[in-house]
């Protein structure tokens, strides 16, 4: 418990892992891989690398999916992101003989946007889209009741107008429960992989050439890799009742920005209602806590939960997320 409190007050200026910080901002691509896909994690300030034991585990830390009590897990979520961008997530996992296999699909669609040039700054009459896609296959295993590991291989694609970048990335994670103390620890690395290759071409008007140039040679992009390390503590772990109070702290070290810290809290009452809040330290624009709730729906199925998450950025505005998780 003391460790949780001491880590939570560390500011973004203190670096546990060496980082060039904002000197590296903008040096990686596939930024959609960083955006939280589920309502629960968004409500808890994204501090879920130790405790996302539902379908979102395939996004945050594949080792956690092996810790689920359910043999079959299904999850779907929708995010109404900034500037009318839509983010959707679908995941499923199945325990087969002590090994959990999972599949996940993440997509982001910008919607139609107008094409503008220096000659026609108000639009040419044409439109284009940004379409991002991630397909993942996960293998996870619980070696003991205290320890599990998991690996996800993902095909990632980012399409802007008629140009497509694609690559393969890996997620890997471990989870460890410290006996009966109510404390859990986890480490994961997300989106570690190869630089992208590109296909397609695009027309560009060039003043000096008084004509149109066809661009078909594009620089490769490095995936947006992030290292996560977290610890969580259940205050009521000794009570054995239908309530819990989970406190979670997480370190994030991306390859293209400064280190940051997240804290999250989840209170579960009577296995019916979950109240959540969280905060991200060292993140520009995120100046107010996030919050949300979960409703467990026992009358519908074995383990069905509806989630809502809300977070606010100072200038970009609010983000709403909803999700449904089913455990069989």
């Amino acid at each position: 418990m003391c460790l949780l409190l001491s880590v939570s007050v560390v500011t973004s200026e203190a670096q546990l892992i060496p980082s060039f910080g904002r000197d590296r901002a903008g040096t990686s691509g596939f930024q959609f891989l960083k955006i939280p896909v589920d309502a629960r994690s968004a409500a808890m300030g994204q501090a879920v690398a130790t405790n996302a034991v539902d379908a979102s585990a395939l996004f945050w830390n594949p080792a956690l999916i092996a810790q689920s009590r359910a043999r079959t897990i299904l999850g779907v979520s929708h995010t109404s992101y900034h500037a009318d961008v839509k983010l959707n997530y679908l995941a499923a996992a199945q325990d087969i003989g002590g090994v959990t296999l999972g599949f996940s699909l993440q997509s982001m669609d910008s919607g139609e946007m107008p094409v503008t040039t220096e000659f026609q700054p108000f639009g040419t009459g044409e439109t284009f889209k940004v379409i991002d896609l991630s397909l993942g296959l996960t293998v996870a295993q619980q070696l003991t009741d205290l320890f599990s590991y998991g690996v996800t291989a993902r095909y990632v694609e980012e399409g802007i107008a008629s140009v497509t970048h694609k690559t393969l990335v890996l997620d890997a994670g471990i989870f460890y429960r410290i006996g009966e103390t109510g404390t859990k620890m986890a480490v994961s690395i997300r989106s570690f992989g190869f630089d992208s290759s590109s296909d397609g071409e695009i027309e560009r008007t060039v003043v000096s050439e008084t004509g149109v140039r066809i661009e078909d040679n594009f620089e490769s992009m490095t995936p947006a890799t992030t290292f996560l390390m977290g610890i969580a503590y259940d205050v009521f772990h000794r009570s054995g009742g239908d309530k819990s109070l989970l406190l979670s702290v997480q370190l994030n070290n991306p390859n293209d920005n400064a280190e940051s810290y997240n804290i999250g809290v989840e209170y579960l009452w009577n296995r019916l209602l979950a109240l959540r809040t969280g905060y991200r330290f060292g993140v520009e624009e995120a100046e107010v806590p996030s919050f949300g709730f979960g409703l467990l729906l026992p009358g519908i199925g074995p383990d069905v939960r509806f989630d809502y998450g809300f977070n606010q950025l100072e200038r970009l505005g609010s983000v709403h997320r909803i999700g449904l998780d089913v455990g069989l």
Side-chain angles (χ1 to χ4, degrees):
M1 183 63 183
C2 293
L3 177 61
L4 278 171
L5 294 176
S6 63
V7 174
S8 66
V9 298
V10 176
T11 68
S12 61
E13 299 300 323
Q15 296 288 307
L16 294 183
I17 296 176
S19 170
F20 293 106
R22 291 178 178 82
D23 291 342
R24 303 182 302 187
T27 59
S28 67
F30 303 104
Q31 290 292 309
F32 78 100
L33 296 174
K34 293 181 177 181
I35 302 173
V37 294
D38 63 301
R40 179 177 181 269
S41 68
M44 293 183 65
Q46 304 178 27
V48 295
T50 55
N51 53 75
V53 293
D54 51 20
S56 67
L58 302 184
F59 178 86
W60 292 105
N61 183 352
L64 299 178
I65 199 67
Q67 294 291 322
S68 176
R69 297 176 303 174
R71 292 181 56 86
T72 302
I73 298 173
L74 302 171
V76 60
S77 60
H78 171 76
T79 299
S80 180
Y81 206 56
H82 308 294
D84 295 326
V85 173
K86 307 300 181 185
L87 176 66
N88 295 298
Y89 179 72
L90 172 67
Q94 177 68 47
D95 182 356
I96 303 175
V99 176
T100 302
L101 303 180
F103 167 80
S104 57
L105 168 64
Q106 178 186 353
S107 67
M108 191 174 78
D109 187 345
S110 69
E112 297 287 347
M113 295 186 291
V115 175
T116 62
T117 69
E118 63 249 61
F119 307 106
Q120 295 173 288
F122 299 105
T124 65
E126 301 174 297
T127 61
F128 73 101
K129 277 186 175 185
V130 178
I131 303 289
D132 296 328
L133 178 69
S134 171
L135 296 171
L137 294 176
T138 299
V139 177
Q141 186 177 22
Q142 184 179 27
L143 296 182
T144 71
D145 58 346
L146 302 178
F147 178 81
S148 62
Y149 71 93
V151 178
T152 297
R154 284 192 283 164
Y155 168 79
V156 181
E157 182 178 291
E158 183 169 85
I160 303 177
S162 57
V163 178
T164 301
H165 287 264
K166 52 192 175 183
T167 189
L168 296 175
V169 299
L170 292 176
D171 300 345
I174 58 174
F175 167 89
Y176 180 66
R177 180 183 292 107
I178 306 176
E180 300 301 322
T181 65
T183 304
K184 302 177 283 188
M185 301 179 65
V187 173
S188 71
I189 184 168
R190 303 189 56 253
S191 307
F192 177 78
F194 304 99
D195 287 356
S196 68
S197 60
S198 61
D199 291 320
E201 59 183 29
I202 192 167
E203 295 182 354
R204 183 167 68 91
T205 302
V206 181
V207 178
S208 60
E209 300 177 6
T210 62
V212 174
R213 178 188 296 178
I214 304 298
E215 300 283 3
D216 59 4
N217 185 20
F218 303 94
E219 292 186 6
S220 61
M221 296 192 302
T222 300
T225 305
T226 305
F227 172 82
L228 308 177
M229 180 171 62
I231 183 170
Y233 176 73
D234 185 356
V235 176
F236 298 144
H237 71 281
R238 296 187 184 277
S239 65
D242 291 332
K243 65 178 181 179
S244 69
L245 177 61
L246 184 69
L247 308 179
S248 183
V249 177
Q250 183 174 297
L251 161 73
N252 314 288
N253 190 268
N255 67 343
D256 61 355
N257 213 320
E259 196 174 85
S260 63
Y261 304 86
N262 305 343
I263 61 172
V265 180
E266 179 181 56
Y267 175 71
L268 178 61
W269 175 78
N270 204 30
R271 288 194 54 79
L272 290 176
L273 173 65
L275 301 176
R276 306 169 181 132
T277 188
Y279 190 79
R280 295 185 290 162
F281 293 92
V283 177
E284 295 182 7
E285 299 285 318
E287 297 188 352
V288 297
S290 56
F291 63 86
F293 63 87
L295 292 176
L296 284 78
L297 309 173
I300 297 180
D303 191 1
V304 181
R305 190 186 77 234
F306 170 80
D307 293 317
Y308 169 77
F310 173 87
N311 63 281
Q312 175 83 22
L313 296 182
E314 183 181 8
R315 283 172 289 188
L316 291 176
S318 59
V319 178
H320 303 272
R321 292 174 172 85
I322 57 173
L324 186 68
D325 274 279
V326 179
L328 304 174

